């Protein structure tokens, strides 16, 4: 038997490992299973190139819990190690790696800035174990070895009587980690970290019912047998070629990833690249609607089929973090802070590739079946709007498939929209005016007025639409977007012809003075000569002020302090209406006030601005009028 001391300068490295990695102590299982997987895959490779003259067989990695003995066994059938290799890889390499890790990360190891601690490998066992044993036999014709360490730098190494190839690691679980002796805890960890490992992982057994034979008698009782409980799928969909998978395969894998998700995804994007970096994966577009409070962190990041994290910020462009799915890449550096990750060249290339791939897929879907794409538009638009705002590369490509829906459920690209509107909606200054509504019901009367003029009205109801139209206007100097309730229709698209007012300038001044005596200060009175059949009072909200307020409320534009500003409205009064004439000519001031307040309340009612006490008073007053 050999005894010795691990050559590390930090005497108490094990307590340090435990202390600094405590928030992540459950990863010990992931790390030890990863080591077993590596050992098995390396053996497979050595056999394939003729360097190992052994049968590969059907190896599994087995996890066993000994609750009474307070032990966990992790057993593989991989390469195994000789005594010399244990000395080299465990006593020298692993622990020098541990020391290096602590030296580098001890100030930030508890910070979530470190994504996964790959490379910890074997010594993460000491986060949960007070003693660790390794019993291992190499595929080479050499004796087995038994290594023991009790969490101090001292170890023992002696021959073992193990006859089968591979490695068994025995963890003697510490008193503060006894939760890991529960089947449910280990099962949960295996499901989280090892669900798609490339080697089958066995955890206990399960009962399986044999099928009933065709010639069985009626009173036949189905036989049951005990079979290995394999907890993982070693060949998940993302490891296959798109040509090998059907639509149902993709949907089935989605349900495997998200067992509690009952709605199918709208479509998927299969990622597969091997140069200049390695990356595979499948992204799914779930139904999203217009809600910005969508759960993010639903994309799972793997490294060689080992789960790392579901926080893929910096690797996946931010606008795509609303999607679901899997990304697997051995080229993503995992032992770095988030700021370091964002500055990493390979990661930037990966992020750009994903952006391009998503844009290309969307364009293909649009070209292949536009009707289907339009049908799904409301469920995907929030991601695309966010992408156009946040990623220039996506914005450049999105013009080919980004849609602008109308209130009548027709859809246009920007170029189609320009062509459709240029004849009727170009104002006297040569600017194309795109009218839009944010809410079909609330702005119904304004939409109807615009449609009577033969104008198209878009329905743009996203919480970030103000930011997006600002960007589109910046890139299309000949186009302006105006919400349909921001002024009366003749002012929204100004033509050369002017409607003549029935009232003289002097009468208009008198009318304005009378109106302002009864109209609250929140309303700016604006007299306009319109068609005599148009509404006498119209409430509008100035486009610029409303847009700035919306932008500051949804992020951006906050520097102007607009988010806390009170609502400002224009009251447009039609000087050619009979009501304007009645208000002007009424000498009874009580009756004049009554007319103004009733008309204002009606205008407020059409904008959904009449509420509470004012609405109650209006209803009471209206009933009095029809007695």
């Amino acid at each position: 038997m050999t005894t010795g001391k691990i050559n590390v300068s930090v005497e108490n490295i094990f307590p340090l490992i435990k202390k600094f990695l405590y928030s992540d102590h459950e990863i010990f299982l992931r790390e030890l299973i990863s080591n077993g997987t590596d050992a098995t895959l390396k053996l497979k490779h050595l056999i394939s190139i003729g360097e190992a003259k052994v049968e590969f067989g059907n190896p599994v990695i087995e996890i066993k819990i000994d609750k009474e003995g307070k032990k966990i066994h992790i057993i593989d059938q991989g390469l195994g190690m000789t005594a010399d290799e244990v000395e080299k890889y465990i006593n020298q390499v692993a622990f020098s790696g541990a020391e290096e890790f602590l030296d580098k990360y001890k100030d930030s190891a508890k910070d979530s800035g470190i994504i996964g601690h790959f490379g910890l490998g074997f010594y993460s066992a000491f986060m949960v174990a007070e003693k660790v044993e390794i019993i291992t036999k190499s595929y080479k014709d050499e004796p087995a070895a038994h290594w023991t360490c009790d969490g101090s730098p001292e170890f023992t190494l002696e021959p073992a009587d193990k006859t089968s190839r591979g490695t068994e690691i025995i963890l003697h679980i510490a008193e503060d980690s006894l939760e890991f002796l529960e089947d449910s805890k280990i099962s949960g960890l295996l499901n989280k970290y090892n669900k798609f490992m490339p080697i089958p992982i066995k955890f206990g057994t399960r009962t399986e019912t044999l099928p009933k034979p065709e010639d069985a008698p009626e009173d036949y009782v189905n036989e049951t047998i005990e079979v290995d409980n394999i907890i993982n799928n070693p060949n998940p969909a993302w490891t296959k070629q798109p040509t090998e998978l059907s639509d149902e395969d993709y949907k089935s894998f989605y349900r495997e990833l998200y067992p509690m998700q009952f709605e199918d995804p709208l479509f998927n994007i299969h990622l597969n690249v091997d140069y200049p970096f390695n990356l595979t994966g499948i992204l799914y577009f779930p139904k999203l609607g217009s809600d910005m409070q969508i759960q993010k962190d639903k994309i799972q990041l793997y490294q060689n089929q080992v789960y790392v994290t579901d926080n893929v910020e910096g690797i996946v462009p931010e606008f795509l973090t609303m999607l679901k799915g899997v990304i697997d890449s051995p080229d993503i550096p995992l032992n770095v802070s988030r700021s370091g990750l964002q500055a990493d060249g390979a990661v930037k290339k990966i992020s750009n590739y994903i952006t391009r791939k998503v844009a290309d897929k969307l364009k293909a879907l649009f070209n292949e079946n536009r009707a289907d794409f339009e049908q799904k538009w409301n469920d995907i638009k929030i991601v695309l709007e966010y992408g156009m705002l946040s990623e220039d590369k996506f914005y450049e490509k999105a013009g080919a498939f980004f849609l602008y829906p109308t209130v009548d459920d027709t859809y246009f690209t920007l170029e189609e929209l320009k062509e459709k509107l240029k004849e009727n909606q170009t104002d006297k200054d040569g600017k194309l005016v795109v009218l839009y509504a944010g809410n079909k019901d609330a702005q119904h009367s304004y939409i109807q007025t615009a449609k009577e003029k033969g104008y198209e009205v878009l329905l743009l109801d996203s919480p970030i639409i103000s930011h997006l139209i600002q960007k589109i206007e910046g890139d299309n100097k000949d186009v302006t977007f105006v919400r349909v309730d921001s002024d009366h229709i003749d002012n929204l698209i100004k033509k050369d012809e002017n409607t003549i007012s029935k009232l003289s300038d002097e009468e208009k001044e008198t009318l304005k003075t009378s109106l302002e005596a009864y109209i609250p200060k929140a309303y700016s009175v604006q007299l306009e000569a319109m068609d005599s059949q148009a509404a006498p009072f119209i409430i509008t909200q100035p486009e610029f002020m409303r847009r700035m307020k919306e932008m500051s409320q949804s992020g951006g534009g906050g520097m102007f302090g607009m988010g806390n500003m009170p609502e400002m409205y224009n009251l447009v009064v039609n000087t050619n209406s009979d009501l304007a004439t009645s208000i002007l000519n009424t000498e009874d001031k009580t009756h004049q006030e009554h007319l103004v307040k009733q008309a204002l309340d009606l205008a407020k009612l059409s904008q959904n601005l009449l509420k509470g006490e004012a609405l109650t008073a209006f209803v009471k007053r209206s009933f009095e009028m029809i007695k």
Side-chain angles (χ1 to χ4, degrees), residues 43-91:
L43 178 65
K44 187 178 185 180
H45 175 68
L46 291 177
I47 292 169
S48 71
I49 60 172
E51 285 202 17
K53 309 293 185 187
V54 292
E55 286 292 321
F56 187 62
N58 297 299
V60 298
I61 293 168
E62 184 175 7
I63 316 301
K64 292 201 289 195
I65 294 175
D66 173 1
K67 205 163 183 179
E68 282 184 26
K70 298 183 182 177
K71 290 185 284 191
I72 297 175
H73 300 251
I74 296 141
I75 306 156
D76 71 59
Q77 294 151 25
L79 284 169
M81 289 181 281
T82 63
D84 287 346
E85 286 167 340
V86 171
E87 171 63 40
K88 179 181 176 183
Y89 293 117
I90 302 300
N91 294 342

Side-chain angles (χ1 to χ4, degrees), residues 102-316:
L102 287 171
D103 186 49
K104 194 171 182 183
Y105 293 116
K106 64 184 177 187
D107 294 329
S108 62
K110 279 193 171 179
D111 177 8
S112 61
I114 295 175
I115 313 169
H117 306 290
F118 266 58
L120 296 186
F122 170 71
Y123 56 83
S124 62
F126 287 96
M127 291 192 286
V128 297
E130 60 189 11
K131 182 167 88 170
V132 177
E133 296 178 70
I134 302 173
I135 302 169
T136 181
K137 174 151 178 39
S138 172
Y139 72 96
K140 301 167 188 170
D141 188 19
E142 291 198 34
H146 184 180
W147 178 94
T148 308
C149 180
D150 64 0
S152 70
E154 273 102 29
F155 69 90
T156 63
L157 181 59
E158 58 190 334
D161 55 8
K162 179 176 168 65
T163 55
S164 57
R165 179 191 73 219
T167 299
E168 177 174 3
I169 293 172
I170 304 168
L171 307 180
H172 296 258
I173 302 300
E175 287 298 317
D176 62 359
S177 297
L178 296 179
E179 63 188 288
F180 293 106
L181 293 171
E182 299 298 328
D183 281 14
S184 58
K185 179 72 173 178
I186 295 300
S187 187
L189 292 182
L190 292 172
N191 198 46
K192 177 178 178 180
Y193 290 112
N194 306 101
K195 195 172 177 179
F196 301 110
M197 294 287 282
I199 302 297
I201 297 167
K202 177 188 172 186
F203 182 52
T205 58
R206 58 187 172 80
T207 304
E208 203 169 85
T209 304
L210 293 173
K212 183 177 179 180
E214 284 183 26
D215 57 351
E218 278 188 32
D219 59 351
Y220 177 82
V221 178
N222 287 73
E223 281 187 65
T224 58
I225 56 167
E226 288 287 310
V227 294
D228 288 350
N229 181 36
I230 303 298
I231 59 94
N232 60 322
N233 171 2
N235 302 297
W238 83 80
T239 64
K240 300 171 184 175
Q241 291 299 315
T243 49
E244 299 174 56
L245 299 164
S246 66
D247 281 350
E248 191 44 51
D249 291 330
Y250 283 113
K251 285 177 185 173
S252 175
F253 180 59
Y254 184 73
R255 290 189 284 271
E256 196 175 343
L257 281 174
Y258 309 104
M260 300 310 291
Q261 183 69 41
F262 302 112
E263 264 190 318
D264 281 341
L266 296 168
F267 50 83
N268 63 270
I269 297 167
H270 199 130
L271 307 168
N272 195 343
V273 64
D274 52 20
Y275 181 82
F277 49 82
N278 274 294
L279 179 135
T280 53
I282 301 170
L283 296 180
Y284 292 94
F285 268 79
K287 283 190 176 183
L288 293 172
S290 296
D291 184 11
M292 284 295 282
Q293 304 306 312
I294 296 156
Q295 265 193 312
K296 293 188 180 182
D297 295 344
K298 288 292 175 187
I299 296 175
Q300 299 175 9
L301 178 67
Y302 287 76
Q303 193 181 69
N304 295 324
Q305 294 176 236
V306 183
Y307 174 82
V308 180
T309 180
D310 57 8
N311 186 340
V312 293
E313 183 189 342
I315 297 161
V316 172

Side-chain angles (χ1 to χ4, degrees), residues 321-366:
T321 57
M322 290 184 263
L323 303 188
K324 295 184 175 181
V326 165
I327 286 173
D328 189 334
S329 175
D331 292 334
I332 296 169
L334 296 167
N335 287 339
V336 292
S337 66
R338 293 224 165 270
S339 55
L341 185 69
Q342 284 154 0
D344 185 271
V347 171
K348 278 185 179 169
K349 282 179 189 161
I350 286 171
S351 181
N352 289 342
Y353 164 78
I354 293 170
T355 299
R356 190 178 75 246
K357 190 79 177 175
V358 168
D360 290 346
K361 175 73 172 185
L362 290 165
K363 186 178 177 183
L365 288 166
F366 174 77

